[in-house]
Amino acid sequence: MKKILLALSAAALLLTVVPPLLTAAGKLDAATMKHLLLAATILWFAVWPAAIRGKVS
Amino acid sequence: MSNEHEHEHAVNEYENEPVPDKALKGPGSFWGMYAGEHTAGTEFMIGPLFVAYGVGASDLIFGLLLGNLAAVLTWRYLTTPISMRLRVTLYHKLEKICGRQLVSLYNISNGLLFCFLAGAMVTVSATAVGVPFPDVKMPTFSDTMPTGMAWSVVVIVIGAAMTAVAMRGYAFVAKVANFAAPWMFLIFVACALVTLPKLESTELSRIWTGVPQEGKMKIGFWGVFFFAWFCNAAMHLGMSDMSVLRYAKKASCGWAPAAGMYLGHCIAWISASLLFAHQLQKFGDNASVAPGPMVYDAVGWAGLICVVIAGWTTANPTIYRAGLAFQGVLPGMSRNTATLIAGIICTVAGLFPAFAMKLLDFVGIYGMVLAPVGAFIAVDVFLSKKFGITADPAATRKMRFNPAAFLAWVVPAAIGFWAVKHFNMPLPTYATLPVWIGSGVLYLVLSKVMHPAARA
């Protein structure tokens, strides 16, 4: 379970970086990029706290 | 800029005794904390301010690289060795040097400055919360007063919410700050990535033009260098980070602030300044400096969430710490009452955009007022034996008020303020180091006269 959560967290971080890169390269429109960033934000806060539970005091 | 929430639980342990060996922490505990605490809401203001002050591209890049290096070296070779040698909090050591009454004066100054700093963070958060409400008039560089009723309502609601959370303690906010740190940093990077192709020209000299905005003084390499070095002067030169670094197991823990300096104070500032450079190229003199609309334009709702979380996670512990400082002055006051007073002062300060719009000046003043006490500690630790002065004079001589420390604190700081005004220095951070050195030398001389060491 922990590995899945960590993988999802990594996916959220990738989703935070890749869409802006694609937009900068002209391969993704700004509106979609903004939606994907919001999705990445929700995913990050949904999985990362659970993934590191016990590590953060 | 910074807050120190992550280790607050630790700060409140071993308040009146040295940290025992079993409680020491390795470098890993410090790197993440410093990276998180220096990626704060105020970074969204500092980047644009550099553009407004007409910083040139090479001045910005080299100023940030070297200024942040100087800050890291100060943490590593001054704050960490002293923290490891003493293993007590700043307040504990200060009381032994300055006496209880002078520490109270320090606490009041510290508490008020914390409130104003938190107020700037409330202002930054309000620019994000106000985006969906067209009636909220966003502040500009020239605004010092509240911009209208809608603005005031947003600030009061945010200030009240932050105060309410701070009164309940900040464990939850500290956790959110830890959770958010990596994501928040990447949102800053995303802002930069998205903004770069929107610029009319990506030539560095067209982004950081070197031309200041009307009413601003130009700063160059030294302005950036001194600001990067001394924006956290209260933490390193002023020894406030003794509270954290007293837990350091090894001296190498002192390198950890590099994470905060190069991620937060280098990349985040550059990203934020790109946002404003884009606004300037697009709207000229009508460009908006409010972080909320700029970030929303770049990355949408995720950006707004980032501004609010960055402001909230920084302001909340700052209000809490201000409350603790006030409580230190009046120990009979409950922590809740002290935090409420701090929250009210912070919210009132947040109504006035002056604190956020003049953040570079405010941070400089903050350092100049609080850093000199660190010089007393450095003199006490490294020079007291060599020069034959009493170490911990207030504790040794049972003083409640050490006049030598008072004069060595107030006189150089007053001269520093005068010099900034008289010599028309663009930022108070130009005077931080001379004031710190002046305080140390004056404390040494006055102590030699007033508190020479007893002969064996």
Side-chain angles (χ1 to χ4, degrees):
Chain A
M1 185 64 181
K2 199 171 179 74
K3 279 184 182 169
I4 296 171
L5 289 171
L6 284 172
L8 284 169
S9 303
L13 289 184
L14 272 177
L15 201 55
T16 311
V17 175
V18 175
L21 272 173
L22 291 174
T23 303
K27 307 242 185 247
L28 183 71
D29 65 282
T32 311
M33 178 269 298
K34 288 175 184 176
H35 285 125
L36 288 171
L37 276 186
L38 184 59
T41 300
I42 294 166
L43 181 61
W44 173 257
F45 283 100
V47 297
W48 179 242
I52 59 162
R53 187 164 292 153
K55 281 195 177 177
V56 178
S57 55
Chain B
M1 289 302 308
S2 86
N3 61 70
E4 296 169 14
H5 43 267
E6 289 84 356
H7 275 218
E8 201 72 43
H9 68 286
V11 171
N12 292 332
E13 290 169 3
Y14 310 112
E15 276 177 332
N16 297 309
E17 57 185 313
V19 175
D21 285 351
K22 65 175 180 166
L24 300 184
K25 297 168 193 291
S29 306
F30 296 91
W31 283 87
M33 184 207 84
Y34 274 104
E37 79 179 38
H38 292 282
T39 310
T42 39
E43 320 316 346
F44 283 112
M45 279 311 308
I46 293 170
L49 281 166
F50 280 144
V51 177
Y53 276 84
V55 176
S58 59
D59 290 342
L60 180 78
I61 291 162
F62 290 111
L64 287 182
L65 285 175
L66 296 176
N68 284 315
L69 176 66
V72 173
L73 292 174
T74 309
W75 258 299
R76 170 62 185 83
Y77 290 107
L78 186 73
T79 320
T80 306
I82 289 177
S83 305
M84 288 178 66
R85 190 186 287 199
L86 300 175
R87 302 248 181 244
V88 295
T89 64
L90 166 71
Y91 302 101
H92 185 80
K93 181 65 181 171
L94 218 48
E95 199 164 323
K96 285 183 170 181
I97 295 175
C98 299
R100 168 88 194 142
Q101 287 177 348
L102 196 48
V103 170
S104 293
L105 192 63
Y106 175 84
N107 271 333
I108 292 172
S109 319
N110 201 3
L112 282 175
L113 289 166
F114 269 139
C115 286
F116 297 146
L117 189 61
M121 293 162 192
V122 171
T123 303
V124 169
S125 295
T127 66
V129 174
V131 166
F133 306 103
D135 287 345
V136 176
K137 186 174 176 279
M138 296 294 170
T140 62
F141 274 135
S142 54
D143 283 319
T144 51
M145 302 299 281
T147 58
M149 184 55 81
W151 166 262
S152 304
V153 170
V154 170
V155 170
I156 289 168
V157 168
I158 294 171
M162 285 179 178
T163 306
V165 176
M167 285 170 73
R168 298 192 61 194
Y170 48 72
F172 174 68
V173 183
K175 278 186 182 173
V176 174
N178 273 306
F179 297 152
W183 162 85
M184 210 150 59
F185 172 70
L186 289 181
I187 292 289
F188 272 97
V189 174
C191 286
L193 289 173
V194 170
T195 304
L196 273 172
K198 288 190 198 169
L199 293 167
E200 284 170 11
S201 165
T202 48
E203 208 176 302
L204 291 180
S205 60
R206 291 282 315 276
I207 299 172
W208 294 284
T209 57
V211 180
Q213 288 213 297
E214 203 181 321
K216 298 270 185 231
M217 258 191 256
K218 179 174 166 54
I219 58 173
F221 168 80
W222 291 109
V224 179
F225 175 80
F226 285 135
F227 186 82
W229 188 2
F230 297 127
C231 66
N232 289 120
M235 312 296 165
H236 48 67
L237 281 181
M239 303 290 161
S240 160
D241 268 2
M242 275 173 69
S243 303
V244 173
L245 288 168
R246 68 197 166 120
Y247 288 91
K249 193 179 275 177
K250 297 176 185 170
S252 61
C253 297
W255 292 114
M261 295 302 101
Y262 287 102
L263 296 181
H265 290 189
C266 220
I267 293 175
W269 287 355
I270 289 173
S271 300
S273 69
L274 280 175
L275 288 172
F276 183 59
H278 169 57
Q279 294 285 319
L280 268 182
Q281 288 186 359
K282 202 169 160 186
F283 301 109
D285 289 341
N286 296 322
S288 165
V289 71
M294 280 197 300
V295 173
Y296 183 68
D297 182 44
V299 294
W301 281 94
L304 291 186
I305 295 169
C306 178
V307 175
V308 172
I309 290 184
W312 179 45
T313 53
T314 324
N316 213 74
T318 309
I319 295 171
Y320 185 86
R321 291 188 138 239
L324 283 182
F326 292 146
Q327 201 188 16
V329 180
L330 295 168
M333 194 194 297
S334 76
R335 187 173 284 185
N336 269 353
T337 309
T339 311
L340 180 65
I341 292 170
I344 291 170
I345 298 172
C346 151
T347 307
V348 172
L351 287 168
F352 297 87
F355 291 106
M357 298 302 158
K358 297 192 186 301
L359 197 61
L360 301 193
D361 299 83
F362 173 69
V363 167
I365 292 168
Y366 175 79
M368 204 147 65
V369 171
L370 298 182
V373 298
F376 309 157
I377 295 176
V379 167
D380 192 85
V381 169
F382 295 124
L383 303 176
S384 57
K385 264 192 190 159
K386 194 173 178 187
F387 285 89
I389 61 170
T390 307
D392 295 333
T396 310
R397 295 170 181 243
K398 307 269 184 290
M399 284 188 291
R400 290 173 62 80
F401 187 92
N402 179 351
F406 176 72
L407 289 171
W409 183 19
V410 172
V411 173
I415 293 172
F417 281 114
W418 172 82
V420 169
K421 197 102 181 144
H422 185 74
F423 297 109
N424 223 6
M425 294 180 196
L427 295 174
T429 34
Y430 280 73
T432 308
L433 189 61
V435 166
W436 191 85
I437 293 171
S439 284
V441 171
L442 191 56
Y443 176 72
L444 189 63
V445 171
L446 290 174
S447 295
K448 185 78 187 161
V449 175
M450 296 161 89
H451 314 303
R455 287 186 186 174

